[in-house]
Amino acid sequence: MDYERPQFFRVMQYADAAAGDVIDMVSGNPDWEPPGALREGLVEYADGDPEQFQYPASEGLLELREEIAARRNVDREQVLVTNGAGEANHLAMAEGLTRDAGDEVILTDPVYPYYAGRTNLLGGRARYVAVDDDGRLDPDAVRDAASDDTALIVVNSPNNPTGAVYPEATIRELVDVAETYDALLVSDEVYDHFDYGDAFTSALAVDSDRRVVTNAFSKSLAITGFRVGYAIVPDWLVDRFRTRHMLTNVTSSRPAQYAVWRALRETPPDYFAENRAMLRSRVEVFTDALDAAGAEYTTPEGGFYVMARFPGFSGTMENVERLIDEAGVAGMPGAAFGESRADWFRFALVTPRAEEAAQRLAEYFSDE
Amino acid sequence: MDYERPQFFRVMQYADAAAGDVIDMVSGNPDWEPPGALREGLVEYADGDPEQFQYPASEGLLELREEIAARRNVDREQVLVTNGAGEANHLAMAEGLTRDAGDEVILTDPVYPYYAGRTNLLGGRARYVAVDDDGRLDPDAVRDAASDDTALIVVNSPNNPTGAVYPEATIRELVDVAETYDALLVSDEVYDHFDYGDAFTSALAVDSDRRVVTNAFSKSLAITGFRVGYAIVPDWLVDRFRTRHMLTNVTSSRPAQYAVWRALRETPPDYFAENRAMLRSRVEVFTDALDAAGAEYTTPEGGFYVMARFPGFSGTMENVERLIDEAGVAGMPGAAFGESRADWFRFALVTPRAEEAAQRLAEYFSDE
């Protein structure tokens, strides 16, 4: 399968060209305010000495790594600051596939398309394990799929696109499968601040030298364009990750790192709690409207996407275009995330017009 | 051979721990002011709408790509904004090595160590072509070294570490060799603003679908920490580069891209001319002192490094440490750049104390 962006672009282009008013529920860009301290950090940085405009340490600004290490309760040496979670995942997958421990990559279906795209790019073979309609991943199915050829198991919780949050038992089992087959478990936790049921468990909770945790501030600080993420890496992989990071990017952008550090130090917990509450209320309004529209869906336990399917109206690109033209709502076709969700749509709730979109969908499908 | 940073760190650590005052001529970090418009651009960006904090287009901010395309006189579609020249070189080398057109990488000796490191990381085989003592690269020697196994020819002009600027005839020949053997010529031109004899020719001057030009604003705008660079790519490689960039980094950091765009639009030519003149005068003072010290060296035609060797005092790590302790000047050991320069030192002239360092070296070697 292909990676997300071209599909994403196709939908966005179609929506932009549409005659009427269209509510964008396509992209995963937060629509709310970044923390004030982040803006202040950038302004302060802009006034610094020329020395502060030069290369930071390749592994990231020391103070930022220390802040991350303290928050995640890990050793600072295990923290590598990356160009977003994207680079962190790239490094982890490249390492997993170049250590002569197999070339198979276990992914879920549906999948965040960049994982599939990276698997192709890096010469791995994707093996998909379908989740159930509620997005639950059965670790026994992963164990059945795994073998000595398994290089990587890549998971994402809270999940894009399903909204599932994997329970601790699942995470433990996944780590165990990785250990059994000398694979790396890559646990992408970029939506960890958007956990609505307190069910989220980081893979850090399971001590293992076969798990890499990736994350970023893109969603939690509403700055997908800043590209500040990180990997937390077992000791034996630290040097390999640093070398690959250095030879890929030299280092990550310093103004963005500095601003994130300031934001982490000074942003009160309320900032995160309020955004989480806002999204939770969007989820409620949106899923109420889906009920009114007669749709099938799973209430997301985390993240900010809702997958839904409508009776007699499958999630094809053609129907995505119809929804844009006739309902004024742009979502993503489910097939962009894998075969198992070809009937579904994905809606991103990162728009202040989520409620309006919900009303439009409810009206559109009740009129049909 | 290994990549630069660990050597660099070893020297820096030694210099930091030294008892006396040490002048740092190790790193390639500009010590002068970035343009005022760059600082203003960051401040302006910090005050933007939340939307401006989100993903820019993966290939870079449109206005920045347009500005680069206009300056380089290329089609905008050929411009990909990257996380510094580092990522641009990484993408080019990764593409060259995955297109089943050989696995040999022709590099110069001495070499910028990241090229060698990337060759190792990406599974290529480095083949070194020695330059002469003045840093001149003989294109016939490159032709002799090339074969159907040649995937890449990677050059850097103005050159780090030799200071050589390759004449147009050399660039033309290198492109021709790349075409003959279906290889990619990667021309890293990051020091193009520091050309003291107007001899610099960009590989863009030679129309070919086998050359990739890489560059960055790290040196010209004195912002090595911002990580804004670019690749100019022949049409048939554009999609491949974009895909690899997207799956490696998603996109480059937006605040840095915006600030660079503002700086490019508003910085007068004087800014670049004054910095070039300042460096040229540092070169003069420094090479005068090398004469006084009885050293052998080549006056750099471009860039901001000088390689020198002193009679009876070869460029070993041990002697680097002696220079730190006894002369108060920290340079890099020549062996960090390849076997052919094991007798030499590299001094970076990016310190306001370049003249003082020159005096120290002249005194140290005249006392010996």
Side-chain angles (χ1 to χ4, degrees):
Chain A
M1 69 177 296
D2 215 345
Y3 50 89
E4 181 173 27
R5 206 44 87 91
Q7 276 278 41
F8 167 97
F9 274 133
R10 241 183 97 187
V11 177
M12 290 300 293
Q13 273 172 356
Y14 191 90
D16 284 347
D21 170 60
V22 179
I23 300 175
D24 172 13
M25 305 191 88
V26 177
S27 71
N29 286 333
D31 61 294
W32 52 90
E33 268 289 317
L38 182 109
R39 294 178 182 274
E40 290 160 20
L42 258 193
V43 172
E44 184 184 280
Y45 178 86
D47 196 35
D49 293 335
E51 199 180 318
Q52 290 176 272
F53 285 47
Q54 310 310 322
Y55 296 121
S58 177
E59 62 269 26
L61 284 179
L62 186 65
E63 55 267 40
L64 177 58
R65 289 171 60 226
E66 283 176 342
E67 186 72 36
I68 294 166
R71 283 163 181 258
R72 305 311 306 267
N73 195 26
V74 297
D75 190 295
R76 184 185 75 200
E77 293 307 300
Q78 297 185 310
V79 177
L80 175 71
V81 176
T82 57
N83 193 67
E87 193 212 348
N89 289 328
H90 174 84
L91 297 175
M93 292 183 70
E95 277 311 315
L97 284 166
T98 50
R99 52 182 283 266
D100 289 329
D103 64 356
E104 195 174 75
V105 180
I106 295 184
L107 301 173
T108 60
D109 181 359
V111 69
Y112 173 57
Y114 277 61
Y115 305 151
R118 284 194 192 100
T119 302
N120 288 341
L121 182 79
L122 297 166
R125 288 178 299 115
R127 180 158 184 161
Y128 293 98
V129 174
V131 303
D132 71 15
D133 277 358
D134 290 331
R136 281 185 293 245
L137 177 63
D138 176 2
D140 287 337
V142 174
R143 194 180 293 277
D144 289 346
S147 72
D148 289 336
D149 280 341
T150 306
L152 290 155
I153 303 166
V154 184
V155 295
N156 171 224
S157 168
N159 188 262
N160 173 10
T162 66
V165 172
Y166 298 163
E168 182 171 343
T170 298
I171 299 293
R172 288 195 179 279
E173 282 293 309
L174 292 173
V175 171
D176 186 65
V177 176
E179 289 182 346
T180 301
Y181 293 104
D182 187 24
L184 288 187
L185 174 73
V186 182
S187 181
D188 177 349
E189 303 176 355
V190 72
Y191 295 100
D192 63 352
H193 282 62
F194 303 95
D195 170 30
Y196 308 123
D198 277 337
F200 172 71
T201 300
S202 168
L204 290 176
V206 191
D207 191 30
S208 168
D209 61 1
R210 287 295 176 278
R211 61 108 178 88
V212 174
V213 169
T214 61
N215 210 320
F217 303 100
S218 300
K219 314 291 183 181
S220 60
L221 299 179
I223 48 166
T224 54
F226 274 48
R227 315 309 304 136
V228 182
Y230 61 88
I232 296 175
V233 177
D235 292 333
W236 67 281
L237 274 172
V238 165
D239 280 351
R240 295 180 62 108
F241 267 65
R242 287 189 185 180
T243 297
R244 189 174 291 274
H245 171 64
M246 185 181 292
L247 294 173
T248 302
N249 278 329
V250 183
T251 179
S252 305
S253 187
R254 186 164 176 170
Q257 288 190 57
Y258 184 83
V260 164
W261 171 67
R262 280 283 307 270
L264 288 179
R265 271 210 326 183
E266 296 170 31
T267 304
D270 282 357
Y271 171 82
F272 304 99
E274 283 163 16
N275 290 328
R276 183 165 47 244
M278 175 186 67
L279 281 161
R280 188 204 291 253
S281 100
R282 285 184 187 172
V283 165
E284 274 174 32
V285 169
F286 195 76
T287 51
D288 284 352
L290 290 176
D291 285 328
E296 187 183 343
Y297 64 89
T298 306
T299 304
E301 302 168 292
F304 38 65
Y305 304 99
V306 176
M307 293 206 90
R309 61 178 161 186
F310 302 92
F313 193 86
S314 74
T316 59
M317 184 61 102
E318 194 189 346
N319 279 337
V320 163
E321 294 176 358
R322 277 185 66 188
L323 274 192
I324 290 171
D325 291 328
E326 298 173 13
V329 176
M332 278 285 283
F337 304 93
E339 289 168 23
S340 73
R341 295 292 178 126
D343 284 348
W344 300 64
F345 295 85
R346 187 198 74 173
F347 298 100
L349 303 190
V350 283
T351 165
R353 302 174 70 191
E355 184 163 356
E356 195 182 346
Q359 286 163 354
R360 290 183 179 189
L361 289 173
E363 279 165 31
Y364 181 73
F365 285 103
S366 61
D367 289 349
E368 284 236 318
Chain B
M1 68 178 298
D2 214 345
Y3 51 89
E4 182 173 27
R5 205 46 85 91
Q7 278 276 40
F8 168 96
F9 274 133
R10 241 183 96 187
V11 177
M12 290 300 295
Q13 274 172 353
Y14 191 89
D16 285 346
D21 170 59
V22 179
I23 300 175
D24 171 13
M25 305 191 88
V26 177
S27 71
N29 286 334
D31 62 293
W32 53 89
E33 268 288 317
L38 182 110
R39 295 178 181 275
E40 290 158 21
L42 259 192
V43 171
E44 185 184 279
Y45 179 86
D47 196 35
D49 293 334
E51 199 181 316
Q52 291 176 272
F53 285 48
Q54 309 311 323
Y55 296 121
S58 177
E59 61 269 25
L61 283 179
L62 186 65
E63 55 267 41
L64 177 58
R65 288 170 62 225
E66 283 177 341
E67 185 72 36
I68 294 166
R71 285 165 178 257
R72 305 310 306 265
N73 195 25
V74 296
D75 191 294
R76 184 185 74 201
E77 293 307 299
Q78 296 185 309
V79 177
L80 176 71
V81 176
T82 57
N83 193 66
E87 192 212 348
N89 289 327
H90 175 83
L91 297 176
M93 293 183 69
E95 277 309 316
L97 284 165
T98 49
R99 53 183 283 267
D100 288 329
D103 66 354
E104 196 173 75
V105 181
I106 295 184
L107 301 172
T108 60
D109 180 0
V111 69
Y112 173 56
Y114 277 61
Y115 305 150
R118 284 194 192 100
T119 302
N120 289 342
L121 182 79
L122 297 167
R125 287 178 300 115
R127 178 158 185 163
Y128 292 99
V129 174
V131 302
D132 72 13
D133 277 358
D134 290 332
R136 282 184 293 246
L137 177 63
D138 178 2
D140 287 337
V142 174
R143 194 178 293 276
D144 289 347
S147 72
D148 289 337
D149 281 341
T150 305
L152 289 156
I153 303 167
V154 184
V155 295
N156 171 224
S157 169
N159 189 261
N160 173 11
T162 67
V165 172
Y166 297 163
E168 182 171 343
T170 298
I171 299 293
R172 288 195 180 279
E173 283 292 308
L174 293 173
V175 171
D176 186 66
V177 177
E179 289 182 347
T180 301
Y181 293 105
D182 187 24
L184 288 186
L185 174 72
V186 182
S187 181
D188 178 349
E189 303 177 354
V190 72
Y191 296 100
D192 63 352
H193 282 62
F194 304 95
D195 170 29
Y196 307 123
D198 277 337
F200 172 71
T201 300
S202 168
L204 290 176
V206 191
D207 191 31
S208 168
D209 62 0
R210 286 295 176 278
R211 59 110 180 83
V212 174
V213 169
T214 62
N215 210 321
F217 303 100
S218 301
K219 315 291 182 179
S220 59
L221 299 180
I223 49 166
T224 55
F226 275 49
R227 315 309 304 136
V228 183
Y230 61 89
I232 296 175
V233 177
D235 293 333
W236 66 282
L237 274 171
V238 165
D239 280 352
R240 296 180 61 108
F241 267 66
R242 286 189 186 178
T243 298
R244 189 175 291 274
H245 171 64
M246 185 182 291
L247 294 173
T248 302
N249 277 328
V250 183
T251 179
S252 305
S253 187
R254 186 165 177 170
Q257 288 190 57
Y258 183 83
V260 164
W261 172 66
R262 281 284 308 270
L264 289 178
R265 271 210 326 181
E266 296 171 31
T267 304
D270 283 358
Y271 172 82
F272 303 99
E274 282 163 16
N275 291 327
R276 182 164 48 243
M278 175 186 70
L279 281 161
R280 187 204 291 253
S281 99
R282 283 183 187 172
V283 165
E284 275 174 31
V285 169
F286 195 76
T287 52
D288 285 351
L290 290 175
D291 285 328
E296 187 183 345
Y297 65 89
T298 305
T299 305
E301 301 168 291
F304 39 64
Y305 305 98
V306 177
M307 294 207 89
R309 61 178 161 186
F310 302 93
F313 193 87
S314 74
T316 59
M317 184 60 104
E318 194 189 345
N319 280 338
V320 163
E321 295 177 357
R322 277 185 66 189
L323 274 191
I324 289 171
D325 290 328
E326 298 172 13
V329 177
M332 278 286 282
F337 304 93
E339 288 170 23
S340 73
R341 295 290 178 127
D343 283 350
W344 301 64
F345 296 86
R346 188 198 73 173
F347 298 101
L349 303 191
V350 283
T351 163
R353 300 174 71 190
E355 184 164 356
E356 194 182 347
Q359 286 165 354
R360 289 183 181 190
L361 289 173
E363 278 165 32
Y364 181 72
F365 285 103
S366 61
D367 289 350
E368 282 234 320

